[in-house]
């Protein structure tokens, strides 16, 4: 800086001499060199700072409470997240390296194979007319959006039983995309591992259906009118314990071999003129369900049942009746939980007239009763000495307040 001051002329119009110009240029070069050296030193210090910060973060993570969790504890947390909260194992496997190692070491964590079969090819016309059908997403854990991800899920589940959910449009087009056929074929290759099956939409026209016995199938849920798998399920699913049906008539299941092993049954018989009367078929099938413990029934058009034809469900513990015109159409001597409601769908437009029984209904083991129907007088016919909880839904007043006034 002192040299620069010596070079500073007192006369503002002074023109530097050649010697002075040489000194000034030399000073500029030295200053530039010093600046570069200082910048290099700053960069070196910044790198050292980042290294120290990384070391500190690593040391802090080593002391984190989550590292105290053993593999068994992590496995329990992962299973709780995936099964109880419909969590996604793909997310768990991308949090940390230890979590990924733990997740990949748990075949049961990848047992939920939920596949969306969307065979429709989007065009300018279909994109505006049916956007929800072509972009509908399968809810639940482990959504396999393509054949690569499906293959990973099947391989990671190893030999563990798998829970399969297949969703597709209700009406399939004449031509389907290649990946749809491939994905269905991949799932069907593991039919011997199916523990549960849920079908929504149509799969009958998709190629690749085989006839491998469903020896391990324990749960079946059908939200479809597709009957392509019924023959196989009815004849080979000897271990079936849970069955849910919302769209098919009961005559499709009269030949089933699994009624004696069934423990949970959820039936919704829809309003459909093409479906014949179901009351007689329902009573016949329930008579074969000797191990039934839970029953949920939604059947607005159920016919009166004569006393001589009343079915006895000895092992039934839980009963839910939706839109049934009879308070208790079956003999359930060991019933513990009883739920009477106007219907599953909301809002309720029409309600089946619930008749008040003329004779008392004795339920000696009943402890929990939920009543959601306008005719509260029905409660007076129930004799339940062990009752500990009675719930009358507020919707009763909304539907028919005049009943409450009485």
């Amino acid at each position: 800086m002192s040299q620069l001051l010596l070079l500073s002329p007192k006369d503002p119009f002074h023109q530097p001499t050649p010697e002075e110009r040489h000194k000034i240029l030399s000073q500029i070069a030295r200053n530039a060199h010093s600046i570069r050296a200082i910048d290099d030193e700053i960069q070196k210090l910044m790198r050292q700072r980042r290294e120290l910060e990384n070391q500190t973060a690593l040391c802090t993570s080593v002391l984190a409470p989550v590292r105290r969790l053993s593999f068994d504890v992590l496995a329990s947390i992962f299973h709780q997240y995936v099964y109880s909260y419909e969590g996604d194992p793909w997310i768990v496997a991308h949090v940390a390296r230890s979590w990924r190692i733990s997740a990949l070491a748990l075949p049961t964590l990848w047992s939920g194979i939920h596949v969306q079969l969307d065979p429709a090819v989007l065009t300018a016309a279909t994109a505006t007319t049916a956007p929800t059908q072509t972009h509908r997403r399968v809810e639940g854990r482990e959504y396999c959006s393509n054949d690569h991800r499906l293959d990973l899920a099947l391989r990671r589940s190893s030999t563990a039983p798998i829970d399969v959910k297949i969703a597709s449009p209700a009406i399939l087009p004449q031509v389907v995309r290649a990946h749809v056929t491939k994905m269905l074929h991949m799932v069907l290759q593991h039919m011997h591992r199916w523990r549960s099956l849920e079908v929504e939409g149509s799969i009958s026209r998709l190629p690749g259906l085989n006839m491998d016995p469903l020896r391990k199938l324990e749960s079946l849920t059908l939200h479809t009118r597709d009957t392509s798998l019924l023959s196989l399920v009815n004849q080979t699913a000897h271990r079936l314990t849970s069955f849910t049906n919302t769209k098919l008539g009961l005559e499709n299941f009269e030949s089933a071999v699994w009624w004696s092993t069934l423990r949970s049954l959820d039936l919704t018989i829809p309003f459909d003129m093409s479906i014949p009367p179901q009351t007689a078929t329902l009573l016949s099938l329930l008579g074969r369900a000797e191990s039934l413990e839970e029953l949920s029934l939604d059947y607005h058009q159920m016919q009166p049942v004569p006393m001589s034809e009343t079915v006895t469900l000895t092992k039934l513990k839980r009963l839910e009746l939706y839109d049934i015109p009879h308070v208790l159409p079956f003999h359930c001597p060991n019933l513990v939980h009883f739920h009477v409601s106007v219907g599953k769908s909301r809002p309720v437009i029409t309600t089946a007239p619930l008749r008040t029984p003329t004779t008392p209904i004795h339920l000696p083991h009943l402890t929990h009763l939920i009543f959601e129907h306008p005719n509260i007088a029905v409660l007076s016919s129930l004799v339940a000495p062990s009752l500990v909880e009675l719930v009358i839904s507020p919707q009763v007043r909304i539907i028919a307040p005049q009943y409450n006034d009485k």
Side-chain angles (χ1 to χ4, degrees):
M1 183 64 66
S2 60
Q3 295 179 359
L4 281 179
L5 292 174
L6 292 174
L7 293 174
S8 301
K10 296 181 180 180
D11 185 2
F13 299 99
H14 174 72
Q15 295 294 328
T17 65
E19 183 180 357
E20 291 175 341
R21 288 179 59 85
H22 176 72
K23 291 181 179 180
I24 293 173
L25 293 174
S26 299
Q27 183 67 44
I28 292 174
R30 287 193 297 270
N31 290 347
H33 178 74
S34 299
I35 291 173
R36 286 195 297 269
I38 294 174
D39 288 341
D40 292 340
E41 188 67 21
I42 292 175
Q43 293 298 325
K44 181 180 178 180
L45 293 174
M46 291 297 295
R47 286 194 297 270
Q48 292 179 0
R49 177 185 174 87
R50 286 194 293 268
E51 291 177 0
L52 291 174
E53 288 177 344
N54 292 336
Q55 292 177 6
T56 302
L58 180 60
C59 293
T60 304
S61 67
V62 171
L63 297 177
V66 70
R67 283 187 172 265
R68 304 174 191 172
L69 301 179
S70 64
F71 171 79
D72 294 336
V73 175
L74 277 179
S76 178
I77 293 175
F78 291 169
H79 278 98
Q80 185 77 6
Y81 168 69
V82 170
Y83 285 92
S84 300
Y85 297 95
E86 289 293 319
D88 192 342
W90 300 93
I91 297 178
V92 171
H94 287 80
V95 173
R97 184 172 63 177
S98 59
W99 285 32
R100 181 174 180 82
I101 294 174
S102 302
L104 296 181
L106 296 170
T108 54
L109 202 66
W110 306 90
S111 62
I113 309 298
H114 297 185
V115 182
Q116 169 71 63
L117 300 177
D118 182 9
V121 180
L122 277 178
T123 62
T126 58
T128 57
T129 56
T132 56
Q133 183 188 71
T134 55
H135 287 70
R136 182 167 48 86
R137 187 189 191 280
V138 178
E139 295 297 331
R141 68 181 189 274
E142 199 166 330
Y143 170 58
C144 300
S145 56
N146 52 62
D147 53 357
H148 174 69
R149 201 171 189 184
L150 176 59
D151 180 62
L152 280 177
L154 290 172
R155 286 193 284 111
R156 290 175 180 178
S157 63
S158 185
T159 59
I162 57 178
D163 303 311
V164 179
K165 177 187 287 187
I166 303 176
S168 67
I171 301 177
L172 294 175
Q174 294 296 325
V175 179
V176 298
R177 289 185 285 184
H179 80 279
V180 172
T181 303
K182 183 177 181 180
M183 292 177 69
L184 183 62
H185 180 72
M186 292 168 62
V187 174
L188 294 176
Q189 293 305 307
H190 296 264
M191 290 180 67
H192 61 284
R193 293 202 287 139
W194 287 7
R195 176 175 54 193
S196 67
L197 172 64
E198 180 175 343
V199 179
E200 179 182 350
S202 176
I203 61 173
S204 59
R205 290 186 53 253
L206 293 176
L209 292 177
N210 54 32
M211 299 301 289
D212 290 344
L214 300 171
R215 297 187 179 93
K216 293 187 177 182
L217 191 67
E218 299 177 2
S219 176
L220 176 64
T221 301
L222 298 177
H223 302 296
T224 177
R225 296 184 183 275
D226 193 324
T227 60
S228 56
L229 286 175
L230 287 189
S231 176
L232 179 64
V233 172
N234 287 341
Q235 299 303 321
T236 64
H238 294 276
R239 298 176 57 181
L240 196 70
T241 59
S242 176
F243 176 51
T244 299
N245 173 55
T246 59
K247 294 186 178 181
L248 287 172
L250 297 179
E251 66 277 0
N252 293 284
F253 309 100
E254 289 185 291
S255 62
V257 298
W258 35 260
W259 283 102
S260 59
T261 62
L262 210 60
R263 294 184 179 181
S264 177
L265 180 62
D266 187 344
L267 294 177
T268 299
I269 302 178
F271 291 95
D272 193 336
M273 298 303 296
S274 63
I275 297 179
Q278 301 284 291
T279 303
T281 306
L282 173 65
L283 297 177
S284 174
L285 296 178
L286 288 179
R288 295 162 55 186
E290 55 192 32
S291 301
L292 196 63
E293 298 177 359
E294 299 180 3
L295 173 60
S296 177
L297 181 62
D298 188 346
Y299 186 19
H300 178 87
Q301 296 174 307
M302 186 173 182
Q303 302 299 316
V305 181
M307 290 295 297
S308 59
E309 300 179 10
T310 301
V311 176
T312 300
L313 302 174
T314 307
K315 295 185 178 181
L316 194 69
K317 303 293 185 181
R318 178 184 294 271
L319 177 61
E320 298 178 1
L321 298 179
Y322 297 92
D323 209 18
I324 306 295
H326 316 283
V327 61
L328 191 60
F330 319 110
H331 180 47
C332 311
N334 297 309
L335 195 62
V336 176
H337 295 262
F338 189 25
H339 186 176
V340 180
S341 180
V342 292
K344 287 184 178 180
S345 60
R346 297 291 187 272
V348 178
I349 300 177
T350 59
T351 305
L354 185 61
R355 304 178 183 87
T356 303
T358 56
T359 57
I361 300 177
H362 293 271
L363 300 171
H365 301 286
L366 187 68
T367 59
H368 296 78
L369 174 60
I370 301 176
F371 194 83
E372 299 175 331
H373 198 281
N375 189 8
I376 302 181
V378 171
L379 294 175
S380 62
S381 64
L382 301 180
V383 180
S386 302
L387 192 66
V388 296
E389 181 182 21
L390 172 62
V391 178
I392 301 178
S393 174
Q395 72 172 342
V396 172
R397 180 172 296 276
I398 296 174
I399 295 174
Q402 67 274 15
Y403 282 97
N404 295 272
D405 298 336
K406 296 180 181 179

